[in-house]
Amino acid sequence: MQPTDLVRHDIAASNLLLGDSLFLSLGLPPGWELAPGVGRPEVIANHERGGKKWVASGRAWYVVFDAERRWAMELMLQVGALSRRWNRAPVGEVAEVTVHGHPATVRWREGRRGLFRRHTITFLRVEFDCPVSERHLVVEFSGRCPREGFEEMLAAIPYLRCH
């Protein structure tokens, strides 16, 4: 996959007190769309780096979907200070990838979700530090989408823009 193949989506949030700030810019493979998730983005703090206002601490939830193949997965973004880590003990497959020039950890795992009708879902979690924007980022895809859909997201992750 080449960066020119991807459809760029700037993921930003507004806050009455803090103004507009950017979480990141996500490139999705052709055919995939981005839609709002279950909750509004939460911005706790932001800062300016490189002439842009970035979310320095916050969370956001979205849905990425391919309507033609009827595939969908949840997208969760979590941003914090460089010193903050959300690392858990490695569960499932662990790999390394480079995201916008930064080393990143990729974790694949399966888990159960649902209250009464529990089902198994896949989690693809990418975690890395961006020293340029002075942030620690977590990008997590989850859902019952076939593994091929998650692989397409992972192939696009190196082209995510975090600064």
Side-chain angles (χ1 to χ4, degrees):
M1 182 172 305
Q2 298 298 315
T4 55
D5 298 336
L6 302 174
V7 178
R8 184 88 21 219
H9 297 270
D10 288 340
I11 301 178
S14 281
N15 180 301
L16 286 173
L17 298 174
L18 303 174
D20 295 338
S21 48
L22 191 61
F23 276 92
L24 51 82
S25 183
L26 179 67
L28 293 177
W32 287 91
E33 298 291 333
L34 181 72
V38 295
R40 293 183 47 83
E42 298 173 357
V43 178
I44 298 163
N46 65 7
H47 59 226
E48 191 170 325
R49 301 292 185 271
K52 291 185 181 177
K53 229 180 202 182
W54 298 100
V55 173
S57 179
R59 287 181 169 196
W61 300 268
Y62 292 89
V63 174
V64 291
F65 64 95
D66 183 324
E68 186 174 310
R69 293 185 283 187
R70 301 178 56 104
W71 291 354
M73 60 186 87
E74 293 177 39
L75 167 63
M76 186 273 301
L77 304 173
Q78 195 170 4
V79 180
L82 281 176
S83 61
R84 182 150 182 204
R85 296 287 186 268
W86 294 288
N87 286 337
R88 300 180 192 137
V91 176
E93 301 173 49
V94 178
E96 299 291 323
V97 70
T98 300
V99 177
H100 204 179
H102 313 303
T105 302
V106 176
R107 287 190 173 85
W108 289 90
R109 70 178 180 86
E110 289 190 346
R112 304 276 294 160
R113 192 180 276 171
L115 186 56
F116 298 111
R117 301 177 95 188
R118 295 184 60 76
H119 50 275
T120 301
I121 63 168
T122 301
F123 291 87
L124 170 62
R125 182 183 181 97
V126 180
E127 194 165 344
F128 63 99
D129 286 337
C130 176
V132 177
S133 64
E134 299 178 35
R135 305 179 303 152
H136 179 78
L137 294 99
V138 175
V139 178
E140 184 176 84
F141 297 93
S142 62
R144 291 194 285 178
C145 182
R147 175 90 179 210
E148 182 183 347
F150 286 95
E151 294 284 355
E152 288 179 20
M153 292 301 118
L154 184 57
I157 283 292
Y159 307 109
L160 176 151
R161 293 184 190 149
C162 53
H163 63 268

